[in-house]
Amino acid sequence: PVKKSDKEEKTCSFSFEGMTREQIIAVFEDAISRNNLYMSYQPYYSSDRKLLGIESFLRLSKDNEMVPPSVFIAAAEHAGYMNRIGSFSLEESLKVIAAANKISPALTLNLNLSQSQLCLPDFIQQFNNAISNSGASIANLVLDIPEAALMSDMDNIRQTIERLSDMGVRLALNNFGNGYSS
């Protein structure tokens, strides 16, 4: 049998509970500087087992334990830090798909966006800058938008989605059926 790594065997005991905004931000900044906030990639295949693309996931390791995304994303949202980790996620993922497309030009990348990213007034500019800096192609990108984002701040999010669509970005609805539509 395959032995799980120590990281996989441990359950997470780390909590952001009771931390101030500054302390939460310090945890994320420390994680970024130590490469403990990072992207993980999962391949996805066609029914005939052809590799179609990859999906990227943001991960946080703290004290050699994996912090569940539901925990660290909620903390980042609470601390007003989603813009920073969202930008980090976008930039890192675009570098990976740009490199992968040099070998396999048809591979796509699915990347989750947060509701708070979609509400940023300068998100489109940030997105364009990240695309330009990475050398990635919009044609190889699918942005996953959370279902919950469509239920709040609808005017701003709708405008952002329309602008992304007009640019040729493919969009997918993420977590559909887990909340409002269920």
Side-chain angles (χ1 to χ4, degrees):
V2 176
K3 181 172 175 8
K4 290 184 178 182
S5 72
D6 290 341
K7 277 186 176 180
E8 292 173 334
E9 288 181 357
K10 287 188 173 188
T11 58
C12 182
S13 61
F14 179 77
S15 172
F16 287 94
E17 212 169 298
M19 288 185 161
T20 66
R21 177 182 188 277
E22 291 75 22
Q23 290 170 322
I24 293 169
I25 290 171
V27 167
F28 283 112
E29 287 297 322
D30 181 62
I32 290 170
S33 71
R34 296 175 186 264
N35 294 319
N36 289 331
L37 184 70
Y38 61 93
M39 301 308 297
S40 177
Y41 300 93
Q42 176 179 311
Y44 59 91
Y45 300 89
S46 66
S47 60
D48 61 348
R49 298 187 180 136
K50 179 184 173 197
L51 179 64
L52 297 175
I54 54 177
E55 185 167 3
S56 63
F57 300 96
L58 188 61
R59 297 292 181 241
L60 174 65
S61 174
K62 178 74 173 141
D63 302 326
N64 293 320
E65 296 179 346
M66 298 304 300
V67 180
S70 60
V71 171
F72 74 80
I73 296 294
E77 291 276 3
H78 176 74
Y81 199 71
M82 276 306 297
N83 184 28
R84 171 76 165 106
I85 67 172
S87 294
F88 172 85
S89 174
L90 178 64
E91 291 164 7
E92 293 297 311
S93 296
L94 289 175
K95 288 179 205 173
V96 167
I97 195 61
N101 287 148
K102 290 178 181 174
I103 299 164
S104 184
L107 285 182
T108 61
L109 170 82
N110 282 56
L111 174 66
N112 294 311
L113 294 181
S114 72
Q115 179 176 333
S116 57
Q117 280 177 286
L118 292 167
C119 292
L120 292 171
D122 64 341
F123 175 74
I124 296 297
Q125 184 62 47
Q126 286 181 16
F127 176 79
N128 284 330
N129 290 343
I131 290 285
S132 294
N133 293 337
S134 70
S137 170
I138 286 177
N140 298 94
L141 188 61
V142 178
L143 298 179
D144 292 340
I145 297 170
E147 176 192 17
L150 301 178
M151 299 299 131
S152 64
D153 204 6
M154 291 177 74
D155 287 336
N156 285 339
I157 291 174
R158 181 183 51 77
Q159 289 174 7
T160 300
I161 290 171
E162 286 174 357
R163 289 181 68 194
L164 289 167
S165 180
D166 290 345
M167 294 165 52
V169 176
R170 289 183 287 165
L171 304 166
L173 193 57
N174 196 19
N175 298 327
F176 184 74
N178 291 336
Y180 298 97
S181 65
S182 65

